[in-house]
Amino acid sequence: MKKIILIAAVLLLAGLLAGAEALAQHGQGHGMHHPSYDAATVETLSGVVAHVDSMKMADHVGIHLMLKTGAETIEVHLGPSWFLDRQDDQIGVGDAVEVTGSRIMIGEVPALLAREVKKGAATLVLRDAQGLPVWRGWRRN
């Protein structure tokens, strides 16, 4: 009987650990899974920045903006604040920008994972063509 209880406890623990690892791999920002960059859904939108916000994610603070185009207002996910704060060109409310990125759905709401943002003659590159963040390998400090 003790052997059966021990085996059941080990199996339960293994299941809990596997579930925790899966959650850690997928990220938890805002308590939900954020879709990955998909090169098949890349589009370019032009508009005016209506709002810039920082949001607490699982392991960093992410910078998002609301882009008002002629057809919609869409949330644009830029990247971690520690990376964006180090850039020469900053993006602010009222700026006219052109954003290229992958259209995703977060729940029922469309959003854009930005690959690059053009503001005037400046281009802020955030991800490569496959969607890999350019800040990979950078040090936060």
Side-chain angles (χ1 to χ4, degrees):
M1 184 68 165
K2 287 182 182 180
K3 196 173 195 179
I4 293 173
I5 292 173
L6 180 59
I7 291 171
V10 169
L11 291 174
L12 178 62
L13 180 60
L16 290 172
L17 290 174
E21 182 179 341
L23 279 175
Q25 288 177 354
H26 290 293
Q28 299 177 17
H30 306 297
M32 66 177 73
H33 170 67
H34 284 265
S36 298
Y37 190 94
D38 181 358
T41 65
V42 170
E43 62 183 273
T44 300
L45 300 174
S46 296
V48 176
V49 177
H51 186 72
V52 178
D53 198 12
S54 58
M55 295 185 165
K56 178 74 173 127
M57 307 302 282
D59 62 346
H60 66 276
V61 174
I63 302 298
H64 301 189
L65 60 85
M66 295 302 291
L67 181 67
K68 187 176 259 185
T69 72
E72 66 183 328
T73 299
I74 188 168
E75 184 173 7
V76 178
H77 297 237
L78 299 177
S81 61
W82 61 264
F83 173 77
L84 291 163
D85 289 345
R86 294 180 177 178
Q87 304 307 306
D88 292 334
D89 295 306
Q90 298 294 311
I91 299 167
V93 173
D95 288 343
V97 297
E98 180 181 277
V99 180
T100 300
S102 172
R103 186 176 282 261
I104 60 171
M105 295 297 288
I106 298 179
E108 302 285 323
V109 181
L112 207 63
L113 286 177
R115 183 177 76 209
E116 68 178 30
V117 180
K118 293 181 182 178
K119 178 179 133 182
T123 300
L124 173 61
V125 177
L126 301 164
R127 292 174 173 81
D128 67 15
Q130 289 76 40
L132 296 175
V134 298
W135 57 84
R136 288 181 9 164
W138 277 48
R139 292 182 179 207
R140 292 182 188 204
N141 296 334

